[in-house]
Amino acid sequence: MKVNNPFIITSKYVSKEYFCDREKESAELVGNIRNWRNTVLVSQRRMGKSGLIGHVFSTPEISKEYETFFIDIYDTTSLDDFVLLLGKEICERLQSRGEKLVEKFLMTVSSVVASFSADPISGMPSIDLKPSATSSAGKSLEQIFKFLESSSRPCVVAIDEFQQIADYRDGKKIIATLRKLVQNCQNTCFIFAGSNRRMMGQLFNTPSEPFFMSCTPLYLDAIAIDKYTDFVSGHFKNNGKKIEKKCIETVYTLFDGHTWYMQYVFNRIFEITDAGETANLQSIETAIINIFDIFEHVFQEMLLRVSEKQKALLIAVAKENKVKNITGSQFISTYNLKTASAIQGALRPLIENETITKEVDCYRITNRFFSLWIAKRY
Ligand SMILES: Nc1ncnc2c1ncn2[C@@H]1O[C@H](COP(=O)(O)OP(=O)(O)O)[C@@H](O)[C@H]1O
Ligand SMILES: [Mg+2]
């Protein structure tokens, strides 16, 4: 597929042409799948987990031999949602490989009923699943696993934002059930991905938890600067444009190599650079001003939703970019933040709703554009 702008900012994987590096991580993930190791894949949000999974699923080693399924359960709130989403993904993937497989799925998973329709806009066939009147989500889940296990090709199931299950009603019980089903699989391999490091750690690294030590961990860090620089300048060159190396390095440093934010900026810079022109530091400035304009209302509104104390803390953290000692006297006095306990009080809900991220050794505002915007405005 040829796209107009080579810097993709949706999380849907397009093709390897637009995918930078991740060679080592891809090889590891392929190795895990081919050697029947389940993976727990963790990174910050928007670093590239979904992209990596899409990339690995499209490699010949996997796509030629395995049936691959991917669900993002971020928006699900119950096991019912979960099984319908997984069921729908399986049906849709199988549909492209022939009616027979879908029929077999619906025979095996008798606790869901399907209705078929054509998407009104694209005309693509679409499948809607509903639980049958007498079924339970637990039963459907068992039947789905049974189906996967009976597939003639081995299956890989990737569950993105897996930590969400912990928030379901009866989350603990569901996780234990899932662990049992996963453990008994001989034909299906799993990738559990998640952005919430604290919750993923809780699920996979706590001895009392069902999934403890049951998966091979894979942590996704920033793409190396030299790899990303080659990627960006290559795409400019392929399109008859140029970009100064310094420009790429500046963006990389500004976002600590955080993938989506860099992609977003280069998507804009690519757009505003005409063929034959060279993008430079001024292009970054223009792109960022443009991005601030777009998000202005969103960011204003985000600040309206927090208390005065939280706002003061957000401004202080944004101005520092990263804060190592958030209750330290230096940080308190520089930003007039009163007391350490007041900071703790303001911080807790901001971490809870992921406005602030706690990294291994520091705190920062999760959304890097928001952070830059606050630092500039206040
Ligand atoms: N290796 C890569 N090369 C280029 N763009 C990437 C790469 N990995 C991710 N992206 C882009 O970065 C953004 C975030 O990636 P995504 O996989 O959705 O992150 P996550 O699942 O960790 O939240 C997406 O727009 C995606 O297209
Ligand atoms: Mg994702």
Side-chain angles (χ1 to χ4, degrees), residues 126-343:
S126 104
I127 299 177
D128 229 359
L129 294 185
K130 277 208 281 295
S132 72
T134 54
S135 76
S136 72
K139 181 89 200 151
S140 309
L141 189 66
E142 258 173 47
Q143 292 178 337
I144 290 178
F145 271 72
K146 192 168 153 204
F147 172 81
L148 295 170
E149 285 294 286
S150 72
S151 160
S152 59
R153 302 213 296 178
C155 299
V156 189
V157 176
I159 306 173
D160 207 355
E161 305 298 350
F162 183 73
Q163 77 276 345
Q164 189 65 26
I165 294 190
D167 285 345
Y168 293 178
R169 195 161 62 87
D170 286 335
K172 264 197 164 358
K173 218 170 99 194
I174 294 167
I175 287 169
T177 306
L178 208 54
R179 163 71 175 131
K180 263 208 205 95
L181 288 168
V182 167
Q183 197 167 25
N184 289 331
C185 284
Q186 292 177 335
N187 193 45
T188 316
C189 197
F190 291 84
I191 301 165
F192 303 102
S195 318
N196 191 317
R197 189 205 282 256
R198 187 171 49 86
M199 288 183 65
M200 289 298 279
Q202 168 82 24
L203 287 174
F204 290 91
N205 310 332
T206 311
S208 59
E209 287 290 329
F211 275 96
F212 177 61
M213 294 286 276
S214 65
C215 299
T216 301
L218 179 57
Y219 186 78
L220 212 56
D221 235 319
I223 298 168
I225 190 163
D226 52 334
K227 297 270 170 52
Y228 195 68
T229 305
D230 290 349
F231 173 79
V232 175
S233 54
H235 279 299
F236 272 77
K237 195 161 159 234
N238 289 344
N239 289 277
K241 306 179 182 189
K242 281 192 190 145
I243 182 161
E244 288 176 4
K245 196 162 176 235
K246 181 126 191 22
C247 176
I248 308 175
E249 288 165 354
T250 304
V251 173
Y252 189 98
T253 309
L254 192 59
F255 298 105
D256 297 314
H258 203 142
T259 321
W260 183 78
Y261 300 93
M262 299 196 296
Q263 287 283 107
Y264 203 101
V265 172
F266 286 117
N267 178 288
R268 286 270 152 187
I269 295 180
F270 183 87
E271 182 188 4
I272 60 178
T273 308
D274 288 330
E277 278 184 4
T278 304
N280 53 25
L281 294 179
Q282 181 56 46
S283 318
I284 305 179
E285 185 76 26
T286 311
I288 293 208
I289 288 173
N290 193 299
I291 290 167
F292 285 172
D293 277 349
I294 292 165
F295 289 107
E296 178 83 29
H297 288 283
V298 177
F299 292 160
Q300 294 278 13
E301 204 254 344
M302 281 162 79
L303 277 186
L304 280 177
R305 269 185 283 147
V306 301
S307 71
E308 280 307 309
K309 274 199 192 112
Q310 289 171 347
K311 184 171 167 183
L313 181 62
L314 284 175
I315 293 169
V317 174
K319 291 211 181 273
E320 290 285 307
N321 186 27
K322 291 179 188 178
V323 185
K324 277 207 159 72
N325 189 356
I326 202 159
T327 50
S329 53
Q330 166 121 42
F331 184 62
I332 294 180
S333 65
T334 310
Y335 297 100
N336 274 325
L337 290 171
K338 310 215 164 63
T339 64
S341 69
I343 293 180

Side-chain angles (χ1 to χ4, degrees), residues 32-181:
N32 283 353
I33 294 169
R34 296 185 64 91
N35 294 282
W36 292 111
R37 294 186 296 258
N38 294 332
T39 305
V40 54
L41 173 62
V42 177
S43 79
Q44 292 177 40
R45 203 176 289 290
R46 294 170 165 175
M47 194 58 93
K49 293 177 298 301
S50 307
L52 178 68
I53 295 169
H55 183 62
V56 162
F57 280 3
S58 77
T59 59
E61 293 125 291
I62 299 301
S63 67
K64 287 217 171 88
E65 282 180 42
Y66 293 80
E67 218 66 84
T68 57
F69 307 103
F70 177 95
I71 53 168
D72 180 335
I73 63 168
Y74 191 70
D75 291 327
T76 64
T77 56
S78 66
L79 187 60
D80 296 86
D81 292 353
F82 180 92
V83 294
L84 291 180
L85 193 65
L86 182 55
K88 189 171 155 69
E89 162 70 5
I90 294 175
C91 281
E92 284 175 350
R93 295 281 303 175
L94 295 179
Q95 200 171 34
S96 60
R97 306 223 302 110
E99 302 275 306
K100 279 253 155 23
L101 285 167
V102 182
E103 265 171 41
K104 184 184 161 206
F105 176 84
L106 293 171
M107 292 270 284
T108 313
V109 188
S110 58
S111 55
V112 299
V113 283
S115 52
F116 297 85
S117 58
D119 185 289
I121 297 162
S122 67
M124 292 286 285
S126 104
I127 299 177
D128 229 359
L129 294 185
K130 277 208 281 295
S132 72
T134 54
S135 76
S136 72
K139 181 89 200 151
S140 309
L141 189 66
E142 258 173 47
Q143 292 178 337
I144 290 178
F145 271 72
K146 192 168 153 204
F147 172 81
L148 295 170
E149 285 294 286
S150 72
S151 160
S152 59
R153 302 213 296 178
C155 299
V156 189
V157 176
I159 306 173
D160 207 355
E161 305 298 350
F162 183 73
Q163 77 276 345
Q164 189 65 26
I165 294 190
D167 285 345
Y168 293 178
R169 195 161 62 87
D170 286 335
K172 264 197 164 358
K173 218 170 99 194
I174 294 167
I175 287 169
T177 306
L178 208 54
R179 163 71 175 131
K180 263 208 205 95
L181 288 168

